[in-house]
Amino acid sequence: MLEIIEQFYAYMDFKNSIIEEDLACIEKNFHTLIYKVINDDFPSINTSNITLPKLTIPFDTKSKQWIGIEGMYGGFSYTFDDSDCVLKFFVENWCRIFDGLDKKHIVTAEGFLCVGANIM
């Protein structure tokens, strides 16, 4: 029985190290996405004053997190998901002006992908 418990704890340590590595890559990709959206859609915004969120473990899996961006008249929201055993974040950005620009992305450790865009 002790051997099974030791194997379980070794597995959990391994799993947590993978999550931390993936989370660091996701954070980098998430920040790159934010800068890309701002630079592409809102080039007049000075990105040097933006404080980007740090993604840490444990993260809130139930609620949407928000980042307001001054000059964008909106910002970004993100939620965590691992329902298919892949650590990822769903990211939406919006703007109350400029016809209500709205984009949706999935961010993983490998990169990010636009999965929808709306102009309201």
Side-chain angles (χ1 to χ4, degrees), residues 30 34 53-55 60 63-67 76-80 89-92 94:
F30 180 40
I34 290 172
K54 298 290 183 197
L55 304 179
D60 186 352
S63 64
K64 194 177 278 194
Q65 305 294 316
W66 303 91
I67 309 160
F76 297 83
S77 64
Y78 59 98
T79 53
F80 163 76
F89 281 80
F90 292 105
V91 180
E92 296 179 76
W94 75 99

Side-chain angles (χ1 to χ4, degrees), residues 1-12:
M1 180 69 165
L2 181 59
E3 183 178 324
I4 293 172
I5 293 171
E6 288 173 349
Q7 288 175 350
F8 172 76
Y9 281 114
Y11 168 76
M12 292 307 293

